[in-house]
Amino acid sequence: MSETGYQQKRIFNELYNDLESIGGTILVVLDEIDNIGSDDDILYELPRARSQLDLDVKIGVVGISNDFKFRENLSPKVKDTLCEEEILFPPYDANELQNILKQRADIALYDDVLESDVIPLCAAFSAQDSGSARQALRLLRKAADIAENNAMAGGEAKVTEEHVREAEHQIQRQQVVEGMHSLTRQGQYVLLTVCQLAAEGETPERTKLIYERYQEVLRNHGSEPLKRRRVHDHLSDLSLHGILQLVDSSSGRGNYNEYELDVSLSSALDALESELGELDDIRETAKRHRILE
């Protein structure tokens, strides 16, 4: 194989030969189709292949995505080619997630290893967030790992509610840590600013007021603040990484953006402390406002 890869035309020819050798009606399923990016030629070529190349096969395309706006980013030629029909699957609710978790737990775990409130709690955490079965399963698996490690250290060989809550905290903390890998020190200060506001019970907060507090944070750290536009970019990056949540709000003066943490305050502070040092003052503020226990 060439170091630069095969030409696109050759790839499509190989694909068409394989599809025609199968024959009949073939559905090509593209999971997470929104990751296809700007190079969406495959969505243009596949629906047209039978008529353009006289293939003896009927080809259908099924795209799966969590991004409802994905189609807006498709090229005009793809939009014109696709005769798409949208089927919307709502997020799983807590009862549906419990059924999924029970089925997996029956296969993966020993009998009677789960306390009765473990699966309902895992399902509730996921249902409140994204309704994702993957998220709920990840949480259950993490809780089981924590319980197993505790059992090896002499603890009880059962998965409990405490293990689920600890798993949720660890997963959220890791999410923040991974998101912070792409942040500059200024980006960390922006997150610190939102954490301060969250500890005071002042979130979601408008971008303008976040910027005013950010300037104060930078003065206290002896650093020069960025322009408001750059702070807005950092807020957007934190939202894309799932650390902050963008809230669309409106008033008599029109629409505006607000931001709040999309992870727990304690998880965000744990991750920040590894970069900025102790943040006991924010924790104490949160306790006074009953944000943290």
Side-chain angles (χ1 to χ4, degrees):
M1 179 177 174
S2 168
E3 291 183 358
T4 58
Y6 294 121
Q7 291 185 345
Q8 186 185 78
K9 182 177 180 180
R10 179 178 175 182
I11 295 294
F12 278 120
N13 287 337
E14 293 286 345
L15 174 61
Y16 296 147
N17 288 336
D18 289 341
L19 293 176
E20 195 164 33
S21 67
I22 297 172
T25 300
I26 299 176
L27 290 178
V28 179
V29 181
L30 303 175
D31 195 9
E32 298 186 0
I33 193 173
D34 47 287
N35 289 323
I36 205 168
S38 59
D39 187 9
D40 56 8
D41 285 349
I42 191 170
L43 300 180
Y44 177 71
E45 296 289 343
L46 283 178
R48 302 170 69 250
R50 186 167 185 252
S51 61
Q52 295 293 316
L53 303 175
D54 196 28
L55 297 181
D56 187 22
V57 60
K58 297 179 181 179
I59 303 172
V61 178
V62 177
I64 303 173
S65 175
N66 291 324
D67 183 357
F68 296 125
K69 297 183 178 180
F70 159 69
R71 292 180 299 171
E72 297 177 6
N73 299 320
L74 295 175
S75 61
K77 66 178 183 180
V78 170
K79 291 180 181 178
D80 188 56
T81 300
L82 292 176
C83 299
E84 81 274 14
E85 179 178 345
E86 182 178 285
I87 302 175
L88 179 63
F89 294 94
Y92 292 114
D93 63 28
N95 290 330
E96 292 170 326
L97 288 170
Q98 285 192 50
N99 290 333
I100 294 171
L101 291 175
K102 287 175 182 177
Q103 292 173 5
R104 298 298 182 90
D106 287 343
I107 298 172
L109 302 174
Y110 289 112
D111 294 339
D112 301 324
V113 75
L114 298 177
E115 289 195 349
S116 60
D117 52 0
V118 167
I119 285 181
L121 185 58
C122 289
F125 274 137
S126 181
Q128 291 170 3
D129 186 1
S130 63
S132 165
R134 184 181 303 175
Q135 178 183 359
L137 289 165
R138 181 185 181 192
L139 181 58
L140 178 59
R141 178 176 179 177
K142 185 67 175 178
D145 287 342
I146 294 172
E148 183 178 33
N149 291 334
N150 288 347
M152 293 174 64
E156 186 180 6
K158 271 187 173 294
V159 186
T160 67
E161 175 186 336
E162 287 71 22
H163 295 137
V164 176
R165 296 189 182 280
E166 175 61 23
E168 173 74 357
H169 177 74
Q170 290 187 20
I171 289 172
Q172 287 196 354
R173 183 183 184 280
Q174 185 60 33
Q175 179 181 341
V176 180
V177 170
E178 291 174 357
M180 286 179 58
H181 286 165
S182 64
L183 295 181
T184 63
R185 181 52 60 98
Q186 288 284 347
Q188 294 169 9
Y189 284 142
V190 171
L191 177 57
L192 177 62
T193 302
V194 178
C195 286
Q196 282 191 3
L197 292 167
E200 298 166 7
E202 297 296 331
T203 54
E205 186 58 279
R206 296 177 65 169
T207 304
K208 175 184 177 182
L209 297 179
I210 292 175
Y211 182 68
E212 291 176 0
R213 176 64 68 88
Y214 158 82
Q215 291 177 301
E216 180 182 327
V217 168
L218 268 289
R219 285 194 294 270
N220 292 337
H221 283 84
S223 299
E224 189 70 21
L226 299 174
K227 299 293 185 182
R228 180 173 169 177
R229 177 70 232 179
R230 290 292 299 121
V231 171
H232 183 274
D233 291 341
H234 282 298
L235 289 168
S236 296
D237 288 342
L238 288 163
S239 178
L240 288 173
H241 284 93
I243 300 173
L244 297 184
Q245 180 178 13
L246 172 63
V247 181
D248 291 326
S249 300
S250 61
S251 67
R253 297 180 180 179
N255 297 327
Y256 53 88
N257 292 334
E258 294 183 326
Y259 287 91
E260 63 183 351
L261 289 173
D262 202 19
V263 296
S264 69
L265 177 59
S266 59
S267 298
L269 292 176
D270 285 349
L272 281 172
E273 284 182 330
S274 66
E275 299 290 336
L276 302 178
E278 294 295 326
L279 300 172
D280 291 341
D281 56 334
I282 299 181
R283 294 184 187 276
E284 289 302 318
T285 299
K287 289 178 181 178
R288 288 198 303 273
H289 289 83
R290 297 184 178 180
I291 307 297
L292 290 178
E293 295 296 331

